[in-house]
Amino acid sequence: VLVALDGSKMAEEVLEAAAALAQPFGAEMALVRVCPPVIRASYLPDGTSLPGLTQTALDKISSAQKKAVKECREYLDGIGARLRKYGMKVTQHVVIEEDPAAGILAAAKDCQASIIALETHGRIGLSRLFMGSVADRVVRGGGIPVLINRPA
């Protein structure tokens, strides 16, 4: 069971439902956090590429990315430790990807997940139109079952 988490308490609400699915079968829970790249191509001035940056700038970018990944890992380590106390089999995965849905789907493929579990923000109307829906893109792009939990 791949469980997508974004670091928020709301996202963690899916853990109970995911554990209820995994536990009877002794299934592993693969916790995934998508970490956005520190610098995106769209942030660079026209005509500039990462190799075109100075070594100092590249070092700062690399350091910032390592720090972001470390924070994601530490977050997943904490969640994983809590689940292991209940006898769950847990792995943790950090994916560096701009698009959360693409990162979740890539992790599901890499982990050979049988199901993806995630919390939805439940946006509707204009906020969904402008912000999109990660859950919607995961459901449409996954090819495997998706458990979507909506907060109370």
Side-chain angles (χ1 to χ4, degrees), residues 6-49:
D6 66 6
S8 70
K9 291 293 180 194
M10 188 180 82
E12 293 173 24
E13 290 184 30
V14 75
L15 289 168
E16 188 176 337
L21 273 175
Q23 213 160 24
F25 301 102
E28 179 180 279
M29 288 181 62
L31 306 178
V32 174
R33 175 115 188 245
V34 177
C35 179
V38 169
I39 190 161
R40 301 173 183 169
S42 60
Y43 292 172
L44 299 173
D46 287 340
T48 305
S49 64

Side-chain angles (χ1 to χ4, degrees), residues 112-135:
Q112 298 178 330
S114 298
I115 188 167
I116 299 170
L118 57 96
E119 189 74 20
T120 181
H121 292 280
R123 290 188 183 102
I124 58 172
L126 288 177
S127 65
R128 180 164 182 215
L129 176 67
F130 290 113
M131 299 196 65
S133 169
V134 172

